[in-house]
Every structure is written in C-alpha cells, then in structure tokens.
Amino acid sequence: VGHTDNHEAKKRLGHVTVVVVGGTGDLARKYLWQGFFQLYADQVGKGHTFSFYGGGLSPSEKGTPLLFGILKELACPQELSAERCTLVKDQFLHLSKYHQLKTTEDYEKLSQQIKQQLGQEGMVEAGRLFYLSVPAFAYADIAEKINNTCRPPSDAWLRVVLEKPFGHNLYSAQALDKKLSDQLKEKEMYRIDHYLGKQVVSKILPFRKENKKLLDPIWNKHHIERIEIVLKETLDAKGRIQFYDQYGVIRDVLQNHLTEVMTLLLMNLPANLSNSMEILQNKLNFLASLQHVDNSNAVVGQYQAYNGEVQEELNKTNDYFSLTPTFAGVVINVNNAQYEGIPIFMTSGKALDERVSYARVLFKNNVFCIQDPKNVQCKSKQIIFYLGHGNLQYPAILVSKNLFKPELLNSGDWKEVTEYKDVNVLGLPLCDYYIQSPVTPREAYCELISHVFLGRKDSFISAEGLLASWAFWTPLLEGLSRVFPRVYPGGEANGNLLNFQLQGHQVAFSHEAVVNVINPSTEDNFQVMQGKYRSSEMVSAWAQELVERLASDLLLAAEEAIREEGQFHLALSGGSSPVALLRALALNLYTFPWRNTHIWQVDERCVPHTETGSNFRSIHDLLLQYIHIPYFNIHPMPVHLTQRLCVEEDGGPALYEKEINKHVNGSNFHYVLLGVGQDGHTASLFQDTKLENDEERLVILTESPIKPHQRMSLTFTAINRARRVGVLIMGKSKHELVSQLSRIKGESSKYPITKVQPKTGTLIWYIDYDALLG
C-alpha cells in the first residue's frame, strides 16, 4: 500500500485533533506550529474541521501565554493574500488551546475534552495526530498514556509522530522499538527525519525515474568516479551540549539524514513511486549491500572550543576530556556489481567554513583536452542535489551540460532556472549546468506534516529501516568510542586540516596536525625492538609499526621463495589476529608478488563461506577483493560439501590434505601465520584436541569450546613442517597470556601454542607493546 489512508481521508471528511506534546519548546516554536498553520491554510474550506492543542508540563496559566506568544508570530503562507491571511490566522488562533500534559489524568482530561467538543458540535471524528516534540526518553511513557487514554474510536485513525534520535545504537533502538510497539501499531508511528521533507531530497527518486533512460547506462561503477554527501555547518554545539555530547556528529547527522540521502541515490528504483512498501524493501536491500565500516574507514575531529563548552555546560573539571566528535569523514563502499569500487564520501561537521548541504555524483571524464580546457566537454561531469545555502542559496538539482539535458520534473511545482548568478557551484559556473528548482520554497516540516495528515508513510522511517541503519553504523561508533578526535580551530582557520583521503580502501587525514592537544603520545619514542621470547626470535613495536614490520618480513619471505621455487605458499589463520595485517597487505604492498602467491587457510569454522563468521570470508573481504591474485591460487578449506557442513563421511580434511600435497613442495608451507587465543589455543587446536592417532595427518576436524563448535584445522605436524612460522599477538587483553607463556619451558598441554616448534624452519613471535608491557 502506498499513500495508506489518502483515499480514506478524502472519503470520510471529519474532525481532526492535533496535539503537539512539547508545544512550547524550541522545535515547536521554530518549525512545528508554522507547519500546522500551513496545513490548516491548505485544508481550510475543503471539508475537514480542526482543533489544535499545545501540550506542556507547565500549568495552564503559565503555558497559555507562552503558546499564544508563539502562534501570534506565525508567518503568512506565500499563496495567501494579506487580507485572507488575517482571517485564516484568526481562525487558527481561535481553534488552538494550551493543555497541561504531565500525568495520566491530564491525558484522560484531554480525551474527555475532545469527545465533549465532538458531541457538542455534532462532528464525526476523522483522526487524532500526536506530535511528540520531547526528548526520546519520554516517548515510551507518552505512548503508553496515549494508548491507554487517548485512542480515537476504531473507525478513526491515530498517528503519532516521533522526532529523532531513535536510540543511541542498535541495542537501544531495538529496546525503544519494543517499548513503542507494545503501545502503538507500526502503521500509527511516523518516525520523522526532516531531511525527507526537503524539496530536493523528496525529488531524488522522481528525478531518477524521469531520467531513467539517460541515467541507466551511466549509473554504475564504469561511469561514476565517486559520490559525496555533505552537510557543513558554521554553528557550534553551544547550548546543546547536554544532548550533543551523548550523540556526536555521526549519530546526529550521518546515521539518519545522510544515510537516507545515500539510500535514495543508490537503491533500486521502485516500479511504483507511490508504493511505500516497495520503497522500504528496496531501501532495506541497499542497506544490506553496504560493506562493513570500522575505524579504518573514518576520520573524526573536534573543534577547539568544544571541550571547554562541555566542561562549562556539564560542570566537568578542567582535566576532563570529551571524545565526542564534532566532525566526521567516512568512506562507504557498496558490495554489489553495480556500485562496487565507487567510494561514497559522507561528511559533516560543526564550526566549518560555510553552511551548505548537497549530494554530488561525480562522473569519470575520459575526454583528454589538448587545447581548450574551458570547453564544456573538458569540465567536470556531475549531478548535484543541492539542498540549499552555500553559494547558490536556493535548493536545486543541477546537471552539468556535458552530461545530458534532464527532463523537467513533471509536477507543476518545479521550474527550469535560466537566469544565472555569477557564482560557481562545486567547480563549475552556473551557466555550465541545467538547473531545476522549486517554484515556491516550502519548509521540510510543512511538507512532512502534510504527509502525516494524508497518511503517506513513504516519507518516514520504518522500524526495519531504522534498525538496518543502526546495524550498519553501530560497529563504527563502538570502534570510535576510544579514538581521540583531531582538534581543529573552527571556521576559515581550519584550512586544510580536515581534508582526508583514500589510501587503498582506508581513510586518513591528508595533512598532519600541528598539535594534538588531547593526546600527547609517547608512542613515537619507541622503535621496533628485537629480542628473544621462549628461546625464539621476537619482534616488538607499537601495533601499527609491528604490523608494517610483519608485512615487510612476509614480502621478503615471498621474494625468497619465488626466487628458489617460482611460487610462495602462505597459510593464514582466522580470528582477530591477522585483521590489521590483511589490511596492511591490501593497502601498502603493491610490489607484493601476488601472481605467484598461493593463499591457504590454517583453520576454518564450520559455517558457509558466505557468512560473516567464516575465516575465509574475512580473508576475502579484507584482502582478496583488493588484490590481483589468480583464482586457482586461492585454497579455501572445504568445510561445506554435499550441502552440509564438516561431516566426517564427506572427507573434507582428506581433500584439503590432498590439495596441499599436490601443490606444496614436500607439504612444507613457506610461511604459516598464527594467532593465539587468551586460553593459549592456536589455529583451531585447543587444550583438549586429541591428536595422538593423527600424528601424520596434516588436516583434521576439531571441536571448539565456543560456538561454532565444529572447526577444520591444520595439525601441528603441518605447522611444524613450515619454513617460517610467525605468531602475531596484539592488545592489552593478551598481556597475562604473554607473561604466563614466558615462564613455561618446553611444551604444556594446557597451552597448545607451546607445541609450535618448527622442525627445520624458524619461529618468530610478533608481540605488540600492549601485549608485552600491559
């Protein structure tokens, strides 16, 4: 169903009660009452009757003058003459009342008042619209009061509008959703993201639909160079610190507004633009195709005065430091054939040089200009969905003239702009664009309030869409919670300090910060250190330097093996240990001889390779998809045979052993990389793994004490035949283990890692300072 109750509303005209809970607050004063006045002006004389209530915690004698102070300041809608506006505004004020809404009894009184008015005036009730302009922690309580006391009769509708934030992360959003869905049906909830009411954002799908024939051939990775989704603000967070310090820029802007814009740009076009269920499903499909983001895909900053504002507004001491970012740059990638490899730059920040918001699709320009660089064909090819402010000052959709001439959006409320100001927008003068703009600018809240009244759900956030967005952003937020943001001065003085760049598929600031006010680090004083550990060679350093050293050692081992035998056989273990190494290999070592390298697995969980728990899936996502390696040089463990997982009769271990014997000279890997669990296990060889009868086996099925229990693993026989074995141990959580192992001489059945003793090869321990020093 598309515009759910649209036809019903037209068919059954009646009385509509609007209740703005938090009706004298900042949002209501700035936007909501103007939106409801616009709704009334649009609907007056069309058959509906209205009453409006501003609800608040204050008693009537205090709240009433506050409310009417707000209402008297309302601006006239452009389409009304001054005389007509005076009349309509008088009616609106006459229909508006203040009502204290604090206790259940207050809500009961409101319900009685609505019934009494309907009875006295002999009106049929069409529906009740509650707008919750209150902090999110109050939603569940108010929803319960509405459900228990203020429901209209069954033949009238109930619509409850909720303002963001909807939770703080995936878990809190799930908890809030559960509480609300106990009181309200999904069709009754309208989760508002005011960006969806912005005129340009609401026209992204119609623009794509109107220009489908022109866009289809170029809306893909072969033609699009990059996508930028940007919201820059000059304002700081002063006065909002209580809220802002809990949320920060990613929760405040990226997780909702900018994610919605990205989704509308890149989701599959629905066959029917008025079918909200199809739009929702296509949004969910797109969100599911996004690649996982973590700290390596983001940079964060904080304007210099922010920490002082936190100390002042939250009564913190002078030595308190907030890690809340006020700037974030994130690069997102899509894991599907259409958009694979197109970087999506998403960025927002406070205290920047200008106020502007846009989404820009930049296309590859393959024209090589010999003589006339000013020729239109030599310039950037781009489509810009410009939300306002900045150089242009008005909302518009711009298409560079060297791309195509777009169809004019066919609704009568958009026009083609033919008079150009002498300004540049993202590198091109206005005369180089085809420009479309709304005939009459309308506030986002006015648009969305009108959609709530019409029962249009396609402009609002569904529960599934909300949780899918939080599922995508929560891992990054958790990873960044311990990251010190780069401090920037604010405004024009930021210069190039916040510029960031892609290095491979990772993100970093382009310029070094002159000072790091928050985190004067001692890490730079330590270099790579070499020594002995458990009678073998040990390399230690801080995490980043350690991984770079290991990657460099792997490169040397590969070059040596290829010189001698023409190929390099590398076995990689699963788990968290090799993650940083795989990233380093994918990013930095362009000289690595991948064409002559074979990738093997040390161990694998018994899950399909497509699942996130699969070690092979990690190797693929972090490394294989970024390097040029022949497919037949990749050797995943065969845990999934004959439609089932790790069944003894399927003979997976024997198959892998056969493959090793066939490709690897003497079954001696050139390099085996291991990690160590906190319990001392390595590969999938645990304390109680029985190996006595399998001494000559190279590969076996094992049991893990934690889920998934079934595993496949190389044996110690296979590991100890290797030319080189590297053991990578990182993080403070491994410090106790490193200390224990240093005290053990020889083998210990309690710690399987002690059985790693290469017969003729070398063993090197790579231990970072966190694990070594604690």
Side-chain angles (χ1 to χ4, degrees):
V1 182
H3 301 172
T4 328
D5 299 320
N6 201 351
H7 304 302
E8 254 183 81
K10 286 178 180 170
K11 185 178 72 187
R12 193 187 66 245
L13 300 183
H15 189 76
V16 175
T17 305
V18 172
V19 183
V20 182
V21 186
T24 56
D26 197 45
L27 181 71
R29 180 174 53 79
K30 281 182 180 167
Y31 299 110
L32 301 185
W33 285 114
Q34 190 66 53
F36 283 113
F37 181 38
Q38 178 78 55
L39 174 70
Y40 180 69
D42 290 345
Q43 293 297 324
V44 70
K46 293 182 180 174
H48 279 101
T49 54
F50 290 87
S51 51
F52 297 91
Y53 291 91
L57 298 175
S58 307
S60 185
E61 58 273 17
K62 190 176 174 188
T64 299
L66 279 176
L67 177 65
F68 282 92
I70 293 168
L71 299 186
K72 282 170 186 167
E73 295 298 315
L74 294 174
C76 288
Q78 282 184 321
E79 62 273 15
L80 296 186
S81 66
E83 191 180 344
R84 173 77 177 147
C85 180
T86 304
L87 179 66
V88 172
K89 191 167 176 181
D90 280 348
Q91 290 173 346
F92 184 71
L93 290 173
H94 179 68
L95 296 169
S96 302
K97 296 183 188 69
Y98 178 82
H99 199 292
Q100 184 174 19
L101 288 176
K102 197 172 184 179
T103 63
T104 303
E105 290 72 36
D106 291 332
Y107 282 84
E108 283 169 350
K109 281 180 195 166
L110 173 65
S111 190
Q112 287 304 320
Q113 203 166 325
I114 295 167
K115 284 177 193 166
Q116 194 178 340
Q117 183 190 358
L118 289 163
Q120 284 172 350
E121 300 183 27
M123 292 184 290
V124 175
E125 187 164 15
R128 298 182 190 181
L129 193 166
F130 284 82
Y131 198 117
L132 306 197
S133 179
V134 295
F137 65 75
Y139 288 168
D141 178 55
I142 295 171
E144 186 178 1
K145 289 184 170 85
I146 292 170
N147 182 38
N148 292 339
T149 66
C150 285
R151 278 196 171 274
S154 57
D155 57 346
W157 49 257
L158 171 67
R159 295 179 191 145
V160 180
V161 184
L162 305 160
E163 272 286 340
K164 77 171 184 75
F166 314 114
H168 188 261
N169 54 23
L170 177 60
Y171 322 108
S172 57
Q174 285 169 329
L176 177 61
D177 181 56
K178 170 76 173 72
K179 285 179 186 171
L180 289 171
S181 60
D182 286 345
Q183 307 299 331
L184 301 168
K185 297 173 187 144
E186 178 62 22
K187 71 173 185 180
E188 295 171 337
M189 287 187 267
Y190 287 71
R191 297 172 194 82
I192 199 165
D193 182 330
H194 76 270
Y195 255 55
L196 292 177
K198 286 185 177 285
Q199 287 166 294
V200 168
V201 175
S202 68
K203 284 290 186 271
I204 292 175
L205 287 181
F207 175 87
R208 288 179 59 196
K209 190 89 167 172
E210 290 285 331
N211 295 285
K212 190 173 186 313
K213 283 185 180 170
L214 296 162
L215 287 173
D216 273 357
I218 60 170
W219 208 249
N220 56 58
K221 63 186 177 188
H222 301 299
H223 295 272
I224 296 174
E225 184 176 306
R226 65 203 248 176
I227 291 167
E228 300 164 9
I229 303 169
V230 174
L231 193 167
K232 291 166 72 177
E233 297 182 87
T234 52
L235 281 175
D236 55 22
K238 208 169 183 183
R240 290 181 69 221
I241 297 290
Q242 183 78 47
F243 163 82
Y244 198 86
D245 204 54
Q246 291 178 55
Y247 285 88
V249 67
I250 294 176
R251 290 181 176 92
D252 190 37
V253 173
L254 276 72
Q255 179 271 328
N256 38 69
H257 304 328
L258 303 194
T259 299
E260 286 296 323
V261 172
M262 171 178 69
T263 305
L264 292 169
L265 277 178
L266 299 176
M267 64 187 258
N268 283 348
L269 265 180
N272 179 359
L273 287 190
S274 61
N275 185 335
S276 56
M277 291 306 292
E278 189 185 0
I279 289 173
L280 165 63
Q281 192 52 55
N282 289 7
K283 281 184 172 185
L284 291 173
N285 292 345
F286 173 73
L287 288 170
S289 73
L290 295 177
Q291 283 184 22
H292 170 85
V293 287
D294 58 27
N295 293 16
S296 69
N297 308 115
V299 290
V300 289
Q302 186 188 93
Y303 66 80
Q304 205 154 4
Y306 179 80
N307 203 61
E309 291 163 9
V310 170
Q311 290 170 0
E312 185 183 332
E313 289 188 35
L314 302 184
N315 294 319
K316 300 288 186 183
T317 56
N318 287 343
D319 59 352
Y320 177 81
F321 287 114
S322 168
L323 294 183
T324 301
T326 62
F327 167 84
V330 182
V331 174
I332 298 168
N333 284 281
V334 185
N335 200 8
N336 70 24
Q338 186 173 1
Y339 302 124
E340 196 174 36
I342 301 173
I344 302 164
F345 289 81
M346 193 179 280
T347 188
S348 183
K350 290 191 169 294
L352 300 180
D353 59 326
E354 63 173 338
R355 182 186 181 194
V356 69
S357 185
Y358 60 84
R360 175 199 200 196
V361 183
L362 182 67
F363 292 85
K364 297 172 183 175
N365 192 343
N366 297 325
V367 176
F368 183 69
C369 295
I370 303 297
Q371 284 192 223
D372 182 14
K374 291 184 178 172
N375 181 294
V376 70
Q377 290 305 320
C378 306
K379 297 178 180 178
S380 298
K381 293 181 172 182
Q382 54 196 8
I383 299 174
I384 301 163
F385 297 91
Y386 198 91
L387 276 54
H389 307 293
N391 285 349
L392 195 56
Q393 290 297 311
Y394 58 83
I397 299 174
L398 302 93
V399 179
S400 57
K401 287 183 174 174
N402 53 7
L403 207 52
F404 60 78
K405 187 177 194 319
E407 296 289 329
L408 185 62
L409 286 161
N410 58 16
S411 53
D413 51 356
W414 278 66
K415 64 182 182 192
E416 191 163 358
V417 177
T418 51
E419 292 177 18
Y420 305 122
K421 294 189 293 182
D422 186 22
V423 297
N424 273 34
V425 173
L426 297 179
L428 292 182
L430 280 190
C431 59
D432 282 348
Y433 290 107
Y434 296 112
I435 305 171
Q436 299 180 43
S437 184
V439 174
T440 309
R442 272 173 74 98
E443 254 301 326
Y445 279 101
C446 292
E447 292 286 289
L448 291 173
I449 283 168
S450 159
H451 290 186
V452 179
F453 174 72
L454 294 169
R456 280 185 53 176
K457 291 285 279 186
D458 53 313
S459 304
F460 296 87
I461 311 297
S462 69
E464 288 174 283
L466 174 70
L467 297 179
S469 173
W470 274 124
F472 172 71
W473 286 104
T474 296
L476 175 63
L477 288 163
E478 287 174 347
L480 290 174
S481 64
R482 297 172 296 280
V483 171
F484 286 97
R486 169 174 288 197
V487 175
Y488 59 96
E492 295 283 352
N494 297 333
N496 58 18
L497 196 60
L498 296 179
N499 292 353
F500 61 98
Q501 65 190 31
L502 262 181
Q503 298 174 333
H505 54 286
Q506 295 182 30
V507 176
F509 282 117
S510 311
H511 299 271
E512 284 302 310
V514 183
V515 277
N516 186 339
V517 176
I518 290 180
N519 187 25
S521 172
T522 54
E523 294 185 7
D524 295 341
N525 304 333
F526 286 86
Q527 299 301 315
V528 177
M529 183 174 82
Q530 291 190 254
K532 289 283 182 182
Y533 179 76
R534 287 186 50 79
S535 308
S536 296
E537 196 181 330
M538 176 185 71
V539 177
S540 286
W542 290 111
Q544 188 176 343
E545 288 81 6
L546 184 71
V547 165
E548 285 171 4
R549 168 62 186 266
L550 174 52
S552 169
D553 287 355
L554 273 174
L555 175 60
L556 292 172
E559 288 171 339
E560 181 188 318
I562 290 163
R563 271 198 309 273
E564 291 175 9
E565 297 181 28
Q567 52 193 357
F568 176 56
H569 289 278
L570 170 65
L572 295 170
S573 67
S576 57
S577 300
V579 167
L581 172 71
L582 296 178
R583 285 208 182 97
L585 290 172
L587 176 64
N588 298 322
L589 293 183
Y590 296 115
T591 55
F592 203 96
W594 292 117
R595 228 160 242 300
N596 303 89
T597 297
H598 286 252
I599 301 278
W600 299 83
Q601 285 189 266
V602 170
D603 65 324
E604 181 58 285
R605 296 176 170 97
C606 291
V607 297
H609 286 137
T610 50
E611 286 191 14
T612 47
S614 159
N615 291 341
F616 181 76
R617 165 86 187 261
S618 298
I619 295 170
H620 172 270
D621 289 356
L622 295 167
L623 177 67
L624 298 180
Q625 65 171 329
Y626 300 110
I627 61 175
H628 292 292
I629 187 167
Y631 294 123
F632 38 80
N633 284 17
I634 301 167
H635 306 277
M637 280 186 158
V639 293
H640 200 186
L641 295 168
T642 65
Q643 307 300 308
R644 49 193 193 170
L645 293 163
C646 294
V647 173
E648 196 83 47
E649 303 89 85
D650 292 340
L655 269 176
Y656 206 55
E657 193 165 315
K658 189 175 176 186
E659 196 169 343
I660 293 168
N661 289 331
K662 178 179 166 188
H663 291 283
V664 182
N665 187 9
S667 305
N668 300 341
F669 289 107
H670 294 113
Y671 204 111
V672 172
L673 178 70
L674 300 172
V676 191
Q678 286 181 8
D679 60 355
H681 83 269
T682 190
S684 282
L685 302 169
F686 299 91
Q687 188 178 331
D688 52 1
T689 302
K690 302 285 186 285
L691 291 168
E692 293 76 27
N693 304 325
D694 298 308
E695 282 187 11
E696 289 310 306
R697 298 281 303 279
L698 302 180
V699 188
I700 56 167
L701 292 176
T702 69
E703 287 281 325
S704 162
I706 55 166
K707 288 185 177 179
H709 297 300
Q710 282 188 298
R711 308 285 176 97
M712 186 180 289
S713 181
L714 295 185
T715 60
F716 289 117
T717 303
I719 292 167
N720 288 330
R721 282 185 188 179
R723 308 274 180 85
R724 286 186 178 85
V725 177
V727 181
L728 178 61
I729 309 179
M730 295 170 71
K732 280 189 168 66
S733 63
K734 299 283 175 73
H735 174 61
E736 182 60 32
L737 174 75
V738 169
S739 301
Q740 292 280 358
L741 291 175
S742 68
R743 294 193 281 269
I744 296 169
K745 301 284 183 258
E747 280 187 29
S748 161
S749 57
K750 187 181 175 186
Y751 296 101
I753 186 67
T754 58
K755 297 180 183 179
V756 174
Q757 297 167 12
K759 290 191 167 53
T760 54
T762 54
L763 169 62
I764 305 180
W765 298 83
Y766 294 85
I767 307 175
D768 78 346
Y769 288 140
D770 279 335
L772 193 66
L773 309 173

